[in-house]
Every structure is written in C-alpha cells, then in structure tokens.
Amino acid sequence: MFKKDKSSLLFTIGAAILLISLGFIAYLIVISRGPAKDLPAGATVVPQDTMMAVSITTDESQWKRLREFGTPDSKASFERFLTQLRDRLLTANGYAYQQDIQPWASNTAMVAFLRNKIAIPVPPTSPNAPPPPPIQQSVAIIFPIANPIKAKELLAQPKPLNQGKMVERNYKGVQVTETQGIPDRNFSVAVLGTNYLAVTTDSTATDRIIDTYKGEPSLAKTPGYGDAIEQIKNPSAFSQIYVNIPVAAAFSAANSAREVSPENLEKLQQNQGFATTVMLDTEGMGFKSISWLKPDSQKRIAVENNAEKMVNRLPSNTIMMVSGGNLQRLWQDYVSGSDANPLAPVNPQVLRTALKSTTGMDLDKDFINWMAGEFSFSLIPAPAKNPKDKFAAGFVFMIETNNRRAADKSLKQLDDVMKTKGFRVEEIQADGKPAIKWTSAFGGIAVTRGWMNDVAFLTVGAPVLDSLVPAPKSPLFGSELFQKTVRSELKPHNGNFFIDTESAFNPKNLGLPEFPPSQKIWIDAMRSIGVTAAVVGDRTTRYDAFVQLKKSEQSTPSPKASAIPSSRSSSSPTPSSPSSATPVSPSPSPSP
C-alpha cells in the first residue's frame, strides 16, 4: 500500500520537477514579446514522431510567482539548480543573455525529444548474449525568431572553442553550423528561413527538423493534436507538454530490462497522445490534461462517470484516498494493457497467483466478478494515540457491489479460509449492524469487514471503524484541504486521487520509510495533491490535478543579472540532453 502511495506521489512530483527543469533554458534564452499562438511554437517544424515536446513560459512575473513557493531548503536547492544550468548552458559556451540572445529571440519556443532510430526491442540470440545497446534520443530546441538578421549574426560570429572545431555544411539549401571533436557536447544549429532557429544535439536531428520544415509530417499535423490542445489551453499557462504514447512506449521498451513483444507493443498503437497544461496560482501548481486515441483505433473507452459518493463516506481527516466509478472495468482495462506497458507497476498474474496460493480463491471469479461499482482505497489516521496500538493509521477498502449474493458467498468463503490460517473470526456490531472481525493469533493484525447498504467495507490496521460507521458527519468532501486541492471542474467524473502530504510524510503521524534528502526537500515543500479524471468521449479522457505548495517568507537569490532577461520572457523548455545529463558539482547560489 505504501509503495503504491509513494509511487503515485513521486510520479506527480517528478512531473512537476521535470517541467521546471525543461523550462529553465527558456528562462535564460527566450524573451516574450508577442501574442500566444493557438498551437505551441515549433509544432510545425518538429517531426510528427517526436516522443515528447515541451513548452514553458518565461514570463518574469510567472517565474517570480514560482519562486514564492517552497521551504527555505527547497528554494535554495532550486536556485542552485538554476545557477548550475545557466553556467552550463550559457557561461560555459561563452554566451551571455543580453549580448547574444536577447537581440533576436521571439516570444515562444519548443523542446522536442526525438528517437535516433526505430525502437523495436530485439530478443537476445542466446541466454548469455549481452543486452542490446540502449536506444538513444536526440534533443531539438526550436526558437521562433523576432529578428532574423541578428540571429544570423550570432551564427556568423561563433564563440571560440576551447576544444574541437566549428564546421559548416548545406542540407537541402539550409546552412548548418556544427561542432566537432567535443566529447558529449557536440551540437548543431540551423536557421530555417526567417522563422526559426533550431539547436540540436546531433546532425541527424537537425536534418530531420529541416525535412519537416520542407514539408514532411509535423507535430501540428498529428491526428487529434490540435483539438486536444484546444481543450486544455490556458492564456496564462506556465507550461505545456505533449507525449506521443506509442513512440515513447516503444522507446521505453527498447531501454527496459523487461522484455516487451512486438505484439504487445502493437496494442499501444491504438493510443495517440497525452498533453497537459500547467498553471500557477497563489496556492500552487495546477495541471489540465487530456489523453486520446487515434481516430482509426478499434479500441473504445466506456463513457462512464460514476465516482461521486465515496468522498462523502470518508472522514474529513482522511490522509489519502483513491476512488473510481467501476473497479471491475478498471481492472479489466489494466489487465488488457499491462503486458504492453513496460512501465506497468504490477503484473496482474502475480496478484492472481498470490491470492490463489494463499486462499485457494480466484481473483477474477470470486472477487472482481461482483465489483462493478464505485470503489475507494484510503488511509485514515487512528482515532486517538494509544501506546498499545501498533498502527498509526488504518487502510480502508470500500466497494459498491453489483451482485450482493455473489459477494456474500465469496466473503463467507474468505472468512472460512482465514480460520484455517489461525485467525480468530468473530461477529461484532458496527452501528447496530453485524460485521466480521479477523484477529491474528498474537493480536498483531486486525481486519474488519461489513456492509453499508450495498457497499462492502474492509479495514486493516488501526481501529478506524467508528470513523466510517455511521457515515461521518464531517466528510472528506467538505474538508477545507480537500476543497482547495481537488478543485476540478470535471463534473461528473470517474475518479479522484487525494493525499495530504504534510500528514502522510510526517514521521510523527506515520512511520513511513525516510526518503533520500534529495527527494525529501521537494516533498516537504508540498501540502497536498489532488487529481480528478473524467471520460469525455469514447476516445478521450480528461484529467485535472493540483499540487498545493507551501510558501516561505525567506527570499532566495537569483542567478546573476547578466543571465536573466530584464523584460517579459517566453516559452521554452530544456531537456536533459547528453551533455546536460553529466553530473555537475554543486556550487553556491549566486548573490542577487
């Protein structure tokens, strides 16, 4: 349970940090001067099979707002990170913002991650054969140009190199300037007419960008891309990110230790993309996201949005909850896609085998078969601290059944199995209604199960039954923290995720394993996380998320003034290219 909890949290944290990291190069390199376009800048020159494309605003007022968030430690770490990136991207290459970049840069930019070759995994020829080399990626940064003359002047007067050399070549009528002889730091630059300047990590990527500029299929022509971006656009967006799901999954499979067959990868070809827009407000960071299938896909999504009740069945002090509208359908969808997904966290067959070996029962026939209703998994704190209690919180599972008779039969069978395992199984009362309690031989584990109308509940750990039965007078839905965090406009919806990170990761409340300091800094900067999902069509799903962040009155130093735009900046992200992936030793934060 805790592993799943942390995985969901770290995924959200990682996404936020990735967006900030990718955007910093734009903060240093691009200045915003013009109105935003309907599609992100660069979408017309980035190849259609791009794995991921990211845009981030560098509007100085938004970055100022971002700097208000966090603890003193997280803010200092963030500034140190910005300084290191600035030194690596500009200073180390002899460039300064005002002199070299500001005179020509326009209002938007895009960073694209490109596969270098088809990422189809090839099984080893023998058990002892070494694994194939990892599939590499290239990075392309597309800068729209406001002043073409100044941009060409920059290329005409390259900075002297400490090693290697600058060479020029012509590709389809476009002049390309490249470095040679610099290990892990070669780059290629080309001006595309009077519209864009493209910087890539290798010459092949530059050629592909030029091919797209000359008429090859671009990101802007991706099926569903324009419509998806239209649904999640926001005029004050901080960032926008797009993931090409089939391409990214194939790349992940080729670089994963887990073997994924071509047949399973073919299943992912039904999907097209995932996109998200990031906004900042006074209390944190919001995400407005969408995923969609290809127009010709045979796969369909059931338009079902029934997750409305569980937040009223849980108490206001709930630490964590995950809810959904149909557990049976969720499980079936997960099973059908898990073999094709190299990032799937749990193998369904492992769960089936574990249940069968310990209880003799069939997960699908004996349980999932009657679980076609609304459900929730949650973590509720113990009602009061008691030195005798071994658990600081109780895990709660609730499911609305579609077949009460089948459910009672399976649960009674499970009671009998628990008796054979040495548990004491007894009937108790829960608000005047019968319930069943299992207690381990030495009293270390207690499990309680029962019914609230057609909703079955099961609790494990701390005695939290009184928090659920009768229905809480102060439900989670009405709590101030929940309302501030789960603030989606998606109604009706098909699921929620909520976590009170301050309570969940406070060692005084829960004895969770300690995170490494590098991760704990960012967790400590958050108050809560909320996610809402809704199916808006048989090919489209929408997601809204919000991360509530702490604020610190302590100011943090900024990178040196010579590297920071003095006026409004624009959008652009900075990926971790081969050169930027090299570890950089920490350096003190610069003075304001």
CSV table of all heavy atoms in Angstrom, one decimal, residues 47 72 81 124 203 244 255 257 262 287-288 369 460 514:
chain,number,residue,atom,x,y,z
A,47,PRO,N,9.2,17.0,-36.0
A,47,PRO,CA,8.7,15.8,-36.7
A,47,PRO,C,7.5,15.2,-36.0
A,47,PRO,O,7.4,15.3,-34.7
A,47,PRO,CB,9.9,14.8,-36.7
A,47,PRO,CG,11.1,15.7,-36.6
A,47,PRO,CD,10.7,16.9,-35.8
A,72,PRO,N,12.6,27.1,2.8
A,72,PRO,CA,13.9,27.7,2.6
A,72,PRO,C,14.9,26.7,1.9
A,72,PRO,O,15.6,27.0,1.0
A,72,PRO,CB,14.3,28.1,4.0
A,72,PRO,CG,13.1,28.4,4.7
A,72,PRO,CD,12.1,27.4,4.2
A,81,PHE,N,20.2,24.8,-8.5
A,81,PHE,CA,19.9,24.1,-9.8
A,81,PHE,C,19.9,25.1,-11.0
A,81,PHE,O,20.5,24.8,-12.0
A,81,PHE,CB,18.6,23.3,-9.7
A,81,PHE,CG,18.1,22.7,-10.9
A,81,PHE,CD1,18.8,21.7,-11.5
A,81,PHE,CD2,17.0,23.3,-11.6
A,81,PHE,CE1,18.3,21.1,-12.7
A,81,PHE,CE2,16.5,22.7,-12.7
A,81,PHE,CZ,17.2,21.7,-13.3
A,124,PRO,N,17.5,-11.3,-27.3
A,124,PRO,CA,18.8,-11.8,-27.4
A,124,PRO,C,18.9,-13.1,-28.1
A,124,PRO,O,17.9,-13.9,-28.0
A,124,PRO,CB,19.3,-11.9,-26.0
A,124,PRO,CG,18.1,-11.9,-25.1
A,124,PRO,CD,17.0,-11.2,-25.9
A,203,SER,N,23.6,16.0,-35.7
A,203,SER,CA,23.3,16.5,-37.1
A,203,SER,C,22.1,15.8,-37.6
A,203,SER,O,21.4,16.3,-38.4
A,203,SER,CB,24.6,16.2,-37.9
A,203,SER,OG,24.9,14.9,-37.9
A,244,ASN,N,3.9,11.6,-27.2
A,244,ASN,CA,3.5,10.6,-28.2
A,244,ASN,C,3.5,9.2,-27.6
A,244,ASN,O,4.6,8.6,-27.5
A,244,ASN,CB,4.4,10.8,-29.4
A,244,ASN,CG,3.9,9.9,-30.6
A,244,ASN,OD1,3.4,8.8,-30.4
A,244,ASN,ND2,4.2,10.4,-31.8
A,255,ASN,N,14.6,0.3,-24.0
A,255,ASN,CA,15.6,0.6,-23.0
A,255,ASN,C,15.3,0.0,-21.6
A,255,ASN,O,15.8,0.3,-20.6
A,255,ASN,CB,15.7,2.1,-22.9
A,255,ASN,CG,16.4,2.7,-24.0
A,255,ASN,OD1,17.6,2.8,-24.1
A,255,ASN,ND2,15.6,3.2,-25.0
A,257,ALA,N,14.7,-3.4,-19.0
A,257,ALA,CA,15.1,-4.7,-18.8
A,257,ALA,C,14.0,-5.7,-19.0
A,257,ALA,O,14.2,-6.9,-19.2
A,257,ALA,CB,15.7,-4.9,-17.3
A,262,PRO,N,6.7,-7.5,-29.8
A,262,PRO,CA,6.1,-6.6,-30.8
A,262,PRO,C,4.5,-6.7,-30.8
A,262,PRO,O,3.9,-5.7,-31.1
A,262,PRO,CB,6.6,-7.1,-32.1
A,262,PRO,CG,7.9,-7.8,-31.7
A,262,PRO,CD,7.7,-8.3,-30.4
A,287,PHE,N,-2.6,21.3,-13.1
A,287,PHE,CA,-2.4,20.6,-14.3
A,287,PHE,C,-3.7,20.3,-15.0
A,287,PHE,O,-4.6,19.7,-14.4
A,287,PHE,CB,-1.7,19.3,-14.1
A,287,PHE,CG,-0.3,19.4,-13.4
A,287,PHE,CD1,-0.2,19.6,-12.1
A,287,PHE,CD2,0.8,19.4,-14.2
A,287,PHE,CE1,1.0,19.7,-11.4
A,287,PHE,CE2,2.1,19.5,-13.6
A,287,PHE,CZ,2.1,19.7,-12.2
A,288,LYS,N,-3.9,20.7,-16.3
A,288,LYS,CA,-5.1,20.4,-17.0
A,288,LYS,C,-4.7,19.5,-18.2
A,288,LYS,O,-4.0,20.0,-19.1
A,288,LYS,CB,-5.7,21.8,-17.5
A,288,LYS,CG,-7.1,21.6,-18.1
A,288,LYS,CD,-7.6,23.0,-18.4
A,288,LYS,CE,-9.1,23.0,-18.9
A,288,LYS,NZ,-9.6,24.3,-19.2
A,369,ASN,N,-15.6,-10.2,-10.1
A,369,ASN,CA,-16.9,-10.5,-10.7
A,369,ASN,C,-18.0,-9.7,-10.1
A,369,ASN,O,-19.0,-9.4,-10.8
A,369,ASN,CB,-17.1,-12.0,-10.6
A,369,ASN,CG,-18.4,-12.4,-11.4
A,369,ASN,OD1,-18.5,-12.0,-12.6
A,369,ASN,ND2,-19.3,-13.2,-10.8
A,460,VAL,N,-8.0,-2.5,7.7
A,460,VAL,CA,-6.8,-3.2,8.1
A,460,VAL,C,-6.0,-2.3,8.9
A,460,VAL,O,-5.8,-1.1,8.5
A,460,VAL,CB,-6.0,-3.8,7.0
A,460,VAL,CG1,-4.8,-4.6,7.5
A,460,VAL,CG2,-6.9,-4.7,6.1
A,514,GLU,N,12.0,6.7,5.4
A,514,GLU,CA,12.5,8.0,5.1
A,514,GLU,C,13.0,8.1,3.7
A,514,GLU,O,13.6,7.2,3.1
A,514,GLU,CB,13.7,8.3,6.0
A,514,GLU,CG,14.2,9.7,6.0
A,514,GLU,CD,13.3,10.7,6.8
A,514,GLU,OE1,12.5,10.2,7.6
A,514,GLU,OE2,13.4,11.9,6.6
